[in-house]
Every structure is written in C-alpha cells, then in structure tokens.
Amino acid sequence: MSICLNDKIFEALSSVFTEEKVRGYVIGGWVRDCILGRNHPEKDIDIVVIGSGIEIAHKAALKINPGINVSVFKNFGTAMFRHHEYEIEFVGARKESYDRGSRKPVVENGTLEDDLRRRDFTINTLAISLNQDTYGDFLDPFNGMNDLKKKILRTPLDPDKTFSDDPLRMMRAIRFSTQLNFTIEEKTFASIAENAERIKIVSPERIITELNKIMMCEQPSKGFLLIEKTGLLKIIFPELDNMKGIDTIEGKAHKDNFLHSLKVLDNICRKTDNLWLRWAALLHDIAKPATKKYIPETGWSFHGHEFLGSKMIPDIFRKLKLPLNEKMKYVQKLVDLHLRPIVLSQEVVTDSAVRRLLFEAGDDVDDLMMLCEADITSKNEAKKTRHLENFRIVRNKLREIEEKDAMRNFQPPVDGSEIISAFGINPGREVGIIKNAIREAIIEGIIPNEHEAARKLMLEKGKEIGLTPVEPAI
Ligand code: ATP
Ligand code: MG
C-alpha cells in the first residue's frame, strides 16, 4: 500500500469507489507533498473521478458521516466537503480547451490522462488509485516522480500551451519554486518570460494569493527575483520594479534599492511569520525612486521617502487587492516610522523624542524595532555590529521610558467628555485644541501623565482660547 494512503479516510473513500464501480484517484498536492515528506497544515485532498465527481462526493459524504454538508460547484463540476482536518474535493476527469481571452476553459468529460495533461506541473500530475483491485498503484504518465526527485518544475505539455491556457500557472511555477526550493526547467522558464504579458488576463485576486504564498516562504527573495527575471514584475508590481538599478554620478553610486528591499524582507522572515510585517519590510523604501536626488556636496538623498512611501501604500494595496483595513494602516505606520529609531540612536536622545515614538508607534513599537534591525544590510561586519548595538541602546531607552511614562497605550488623562462638561461646550474644535495641548505637554515632559496636572493645563488652555469653566476651578 502506498505511504500516501496511510490516513484512515482513504479506506472509506476506496470502498465507495469499489461499490460504485467507478474509478477514483488521489492526485495533486496531497501526493506531491506526501512524497516530499512535507507536512501541510491544511489537509487538502484532491480526488479525480472517472465519472461524476459531484455524485461520488455525495455518496462518500453519506458513507463517512451522513450529516456532512457537501458544497457543490455545478459550474466547475466539482463538489467538496470537510471532515475533521480534511478538505476533500471531487472532480470528474475532464478535458479542457481554452479561449485566448480568458482563463475559463470549455470543459468536457475525459480520461484520467486527459485530466492530468491539463494540470500545471508534472509534479502535480501523480495519481494514486483508490479502487480495491489497484489500490495504492501510482500512475505517472508525465514522469512526475522523476521531476520530484530532481526538484524540477516542468509543465506536462508544451509550456507555451500550458501557460497561455492559464497564465496564473506562471505565478504558481514561481511560488512552487520558492516554497519547495525547486528549479524551473529551462524551457518552462523561457516560456514564462515569453508569455509574461498574458498575466494581464489573470485577476489581481488570484495573483495576490500566489504573491502572499511567496511572502510566507522562508526566503521570499527567491520568488521576487524570478518574478523580476521573467518580466512579470513590471506588469504586476511596477512600483517594486522601479526600484531596480544603481545610478552613479561623479563616481558616487547609491545601492540597488530592489535588492536591498529583498534582503530586508529575507532578514525579517527569519524573525517573524507576520505577513504584514513582511510586507512592511518589502515596502519600507518604496518611495526611494520618487524622492531620489543627487546633491553635489553630500551625494544621493532620498529625503522624505518614508513619508511619501506611507502615502503610496493605499494605492499599492488597492491595485494588488491587499486589504484596505487596519493591516494596511499598520504597514503605512511602519513605513512612515522606519527611520525614527535610527534618529534616536544617533542623536543625544531626549526623553521626549522617545515618548513621541512610543506614542506614535503604540503597541507596534516592537515590530518597528524588528524592521529597523532587518534594515541593516551592510556587508561590513563592524558597521553592522555598531548599528545593532545602537538599536540595543534604543530598545533599552524605549523600555525605560515606557516603564516610567506608559506611553504605548496612551489614554489621555483628561478626555473629551471631561473637557466638554468642564466648560459647558459642545463637541468641536476647542476640545481638539485642548486635547492636543495636553498630549503635547505630556510628550514634551512639561507635565506628568496624570489627571491632576492635565486638568490644570486644561483650565489654563481653555482660558487662553476664551473659554470659561462652568464651576470655578478649585
Ligand atoms: P497547494 O495546496 O500547496 O497550493 P496544490 O498543488 O494542492 O498546492 P491546489 O491549488 O490545491 O494546489 O490545486 C490542486 C491541484 O490542481 C494541483 O496539484 C494541480 O494538479 C491542479 N491545479 C490547480 N490549479 C491549477 C491551475 N491553475 N492549472 C492547472 N492545474 C492546476
Ligand atoms: Mg492543495
């Protein structure tokens, strides 16, 4: 019996196929990952049925647990259900033909081999029989096992056909290559470069799914370098493509910001699985091309790139179909603040500068420090050690001030409603002015972060802007 059928669920599936006298196979990612010894957190099982996938899904569900809810996708001829940790999808073997303008094929019933040839890569075409008479037998008409052993990604058909039929497969090739550390076979690779333009017919939602999978790899730079090399980058992510290259004036060169960003991304991936912190690392210098200036006395400058960069994020997120929610705001904030800890490490640091950063970064201050440390990509070890040591000092300073002044989750000691009732006013501009004054005074260390001092300042500030307290201040 195949090691890939160890899970008990396959016995139940096998008995359904045998009883129904229908041929069925496990295929795709399950077989590939099991041979690679890869532990997949999600247990997706893809089943190909020579017949109706939908009918067999219902029969299998009935056998495994009559209460299971089967989701049917009639248009695709597929059906799936969940059972414990498994998500099992059934599809009838099919033959496909494509129209050049779309990824949506015309589908008709086909043989197992028809079904395998329309798949993306040979390593995803291995099938294992589930019928009793041939239980556990491998079918491998495209030599997928050989490619798995050699760690090669290759299309089962002429790559031009495979990629032209469904250009999303170009992104999948690069994603699998990055995830599995596989090489894309030469002709397959050349064909991606050749067909790159066709990525335009793929929806951004599908592209971002693959990009995010690349972002979650151990070394996403590998994927981005391939995306660049194939010419896909300038189509799907022009802002990143724009960061490539080095300019030299009067013998002075700046670094390649694309390669630097990829290094920072890889660095942070060693420290965190937080996808959004990874995005912040990739995007932290995104406005460098737009702010680049050569100043004869001082050399290259990217003045304000952190500010402009954070302004560019919403547009990039919108185009890439990344979420336009608090995740985006988090990335914006980190991009905006990414130089601040450096400033704190260089100057004589005042407590108020530290308080201001704690206030602005809030609970994301630890992530910000992680980003700053990942941003050190100097090859000069002495320099690297010096920067790291500086950041260690900044971290200490942040801890010290936070213990004393609790700025990370700053709650104004006098809030809006207290201001409103103190002066008998309506919510409006004055409340904002007084709140700002109190916050600034606390950050600047003029008053402590305490109610009594803040109330006193509120009354003073109110007077200044022409307000009279409802009751005389005590
Ligand atoms: P993972 O689940 O890790 O993304 P997978 O190989 O299981 O990898 P799925 O998207 O779950 O990928 O698809 C299951 C199988 O369906 C694949 O192994 C492949 O055979 C086939 N497949 C999926 N998407 C495509 C596609 N765009 N073109 C051709 N075949 C595909
Ligand atoms: Mg899968």
Side-chain angles (χ1 to χ4, degrees):
M1 194 184 76
S2 161
I3 45 154
C4 300
L5 303 185
N6 272 347
D7 293 47
K8 244 184 130 150
I9 188 101
F10 291 111
E11 284 170 29
L13 291 171
S14 175
S15 66
V16 175
F17 286 114
T18 308
E19 281 162 26
E20 298 297 320
K21 298 196 172 48
V22 168
R23 307 221 66 90
Y25 305 87
V26 196
I27 189 173
W30 178 275
V31 183
R32 177 198 70 221
D33 289 342
C34 132
I35 293 167
L36 288 175
R38 224 171 145 237
N39 274 328
H40 233 275
E42 317 113 55
K43 297 204 163 192
D44 289 2
I45 305 179
D46 293 297
I47 307 278
V48 171
V49 177
I50 314 300
S52 163
I54 296 174
E55 253 173 54
I56 288 292
H58 283 294
K59 297 254 160 70
L62 211 59
K63 175 140 236 150
I64 289 166
N65 170 3
I68 292 182
N69 177 34
V70 181
S71 317
V72 176
F73 307 94
K74 227 172 169 178
N75 292 344
F76 297 98
T78 65
M80 63 80 73
F81 60 79
R82 285 174 229 277
H83 177 63
H84 300 314
E85 70 269 41
Y86 303 106
E87 195 174 300
I88 313 175
E89 183 161 331
F90 297 79
V91 60
R94 60 196 184 183
K95 216 171 164 164
E96 289 178 350
S97 53
Y98 287 82
D99 173 47
R100 256 190 86 78
S102 110
R103 295 183 54 228
K104 304 207 170 49
V106 178
V107 179
E108 39 182 331
N109 293 340
T111 63
L112 179 68
E113 197 158 325
D114 289 331
D115 192 276
L116 297 182
R117 77 173 71 245
R118 71 173 179 88
R119 293 188 178 256
D120 47 6
F121 306 105
T122 58
I123 62 163
N124 288 337
T125 62
L126 288 160
I128 307 177
S129 169
L130 286 174
N131 292 80
Q132 215 159 45
D133 53 345
T134 47
Y135 192 73
D137 285 0
F138 268 87
L139 284 102
D140 183 13
F142 297 101
N143 267 322
M145 192 65 96
N146 204 30
D147 286 341
L148 260 184
K149 281 193 193 128
K150 291 193 176 148
K151 297 174 138 260
I152 289 175
L153 284 155
R154 182 200 316 267
T155 54
L157 302 179
D158 175 352
D160 283 343
K161 172 153 181 47
T162 299
F163 292 134
S164 177
D165 279 352
D166 178 3
L168 178 68
R169 294 166 183 164
M170 304 191 283
M171 287 302 298
R172 284 174 60 90
I174 294 172
R175 188 256 292 185
F176 283 126
S177 168
T178 316
Q179 255 180 352
L180 305 173
N181 217 351
F182 274 37
T183 311
I184 303 175
E185 178 270 336
E186 209 173 310
K187 266 179 68 185
T188 301
F189 187 86
S191 173
I192 299 179
E194 185 72 23
N195 288 285
E197 283 283 325
R198 296 216 10 100
I199 199 69
K200 290 180 179 160
I201 69 161
V202 180
S203 73
E205 287 84 355
R206 300 303 299 267
I207 296 175
I208 199 63
T209 304
E210 297 303 325
L211 264 189
N212 275 336
K213 285 185 179 177
I214 292 171
M215 287 297 272
M216 290 312 290
C217 289
E218 227 175 277
Q219 266 189 65
S221 65
K222 287 184 183 168
F224 281 100
L225 289 171
L226 290 172
I227 294 175
E228 193 281 317
K229 224 169 141 194
T230 49
L232 286 164
L233 191 64
K234 61 176 175 297
I235 306 170
I236 64 169
F237 202 161
E239 295 85 354
L240 194 59
D241 194 67
N242 223 355
M243 296 179 87
K244 284 166 10 190
I246 296 172
D247 276 339
T248 311
I249 295 182
E250 294 173 349
K252 283 187 199 153
H254 64 74
K255 63 186 162 200
D256 182 313
N257 291 311
F258 174 62
L259 297 178
H260 165 71
S261 300
L262 293 185
K263 264 194 213 148
V264 178
L265 174 59
D266 282 355
N267 282 347
I268 213 145
C269 290
R270 283 195 283 274
K271 306 277 180 196
T272 179
D273 285 336
N274 175 351
L275 175 64
W276 306 106
L277 184 47
R278 290 177 173 211
W279 271 106
L282 181 65
L283 296 174
H284 75 286
D285 279 346
I286 197 72
K288 276 202 167 173
T291 53
K292 183 160 82 175
K293 256 199 204 100
Y294 183 78
I295 300 168
E297 301 79 49
T298 46
W300 290 103
S301 130
F302 303 92
H303 185 70
H305 75 274
E306 71 287 10
F307 177 68
L308 185 64
S310 88
K311 293 271 171 247
M312 285 169 70
I313 303 293
D315 209 39
I316 292 174
F317 268 49
R318 194 172 311 115
K319 282 198 281 183
L320 292 178
K321 297 283 179 212
L322 285 166
L324 304 173
N325 57 14
E326 78 285 356
K327 305 292 182 204
M328 178 187 85
K329 294 212 176 99
Y330 163 89
V331 174
Q332 280 191 283
K333 187 202 254 182
L334 291 181
V335 172
D336 186 22
L337 296 178
H338 83 268
L339 297 177
R340 296 277 286 280
I342 301 172
V343 178
L344 292 190
S345 77
Q346 281 170 351
E347 292 167 8
V348 181
V349 189
T350 60
D351 284 8
S352 59
V354 178
R355 270 195 297 269
R356 192 172 294 281
L357 183 61
L358 281 166
F359 168 71
E360 286 181 37
D363 273 339
D364 300 321
V365 71
D366 297 323
D367 291 357
L368 178 66
M369 290 311 295
M370 215 191 278
L371 172 60
C372 288
E373 281 159 2
D375 199 7
I376 307 171
T377 58
S378 168
K379 286 200 185 82
N380 177 336
E381 283 302 320
K383 215 169 165 181
K384 218 160 136 175
T385 314
R386 196 170 68 242
H387 288 320
L388 278 174
E389 172 58 17
N390 282 342
F391 282 139
R392 202 184 56 77
I393 296 168
V394 174
R395 276 183 192 265
N396 284 343
K397 192 87 193 165
L398 286 165
R399 195 175 312 121
E400 208 178 285
I401 299 286
E402 177 58 21
E403 274 167 20
K404 190 157 69 78
D405 299 332
M407 291 302 293
R408 271 170 79 140
N409 285 307
F410 180 74
Q411 299 295 337
V414 164
D415 63 8
S417 59
E418 185 169 350
I419 299 170
I420 288 166
S421 60
F423 295 106
I425 54 175
N426 291 321
R429 207 174 57 90
E430 286 105 341
V431 181
I433 294 173
I434 294 173
K435 277 178 85 171
N436 278 349
I438 294 171
R439 193 191 63 229
E440 282 302 303
I442 293 169
I443 291 174
E444 289 302 327
I446 298 164
I447 62 166
N449 187 0
E450 286 162 11
H451 180 260
E452 197 181 334
R455 183 160 178 103
K456 190 158 164 265
L457 182 67
M458 170 193 79
L459 294 169
E460 282 167 22
K461 194 74 200 170
K463 216 177 212 173
E464 224 179 280
I465 59 173
L467 300 176
T468 332
V470 174
E471 322 156 305
I474 302 157

